Amino acid sequence: MAYTPKPFNTAMTCRPPTVTHAKGVEKKAYGDEEALSKAFGIFGSFSSYGGTEQSVNGVFAVEDTAVVETWYRPDVTAACRIDVAGAGEYEIVTPPENINMRGVYLRFKVRALTGGA
């Protein structure tokens, strides 16, 4: 049975990082001018399914995660960040999967970037 994707009707921006090396440590920057110049737009489906439930040290929490499906692009990597129009900024958690190894569709899981103490 062939894979059938959901409609790709959510606008997103993919931002690859700018990588610098300082004292042997790799640092990634996403907001500088060079990183923003490499950003590109994609359309895909964004399904959160209510997030991911987890229990750490007896504390129950729901993490804001989602699954993104889009057209295949080899420049979408696990190091990229995804800006979803109206929903915020997400980091890619799983390596993007080339569905059926055909170079047509791409699927990956994202987690919301949140601030806090």
Side-chain angles (χ1 to χ4, degrees), residues 46-112:
F46 185 85
S47 306
S48 67
Y49 304 112
T52 302
E53 301 172 352
Q54 58 182 336
S55 179
V56 179
N57 295 333
V59 177
F60 179 77
V62 177
E63 188 176 33
D64 187 8
T65 60
V67 175
V68 175
E69 293 178 354
T70 186
W71 296 109
Y72 178 78
R73 285 192 65 141
D75 47 358
V76 176
T77 65
C80 295
R81 295 243 172 114
I82 303 294
D83 288 327
V84 181
E89 187 176 5
Y90 291 80
E91 66 179 341
I92 298 177
V93 179
T94 60
E97 175 191 359
N98 181 3
I99 298 175
N100 293 334
M101 302 303 283
R102 295 183 64 197
V104 179
Y105 301 113
L106 195 65
R107 178 188 304 147
F108 51 90
K109 191 169 190 176
V110 295
R111 176 177 49 214

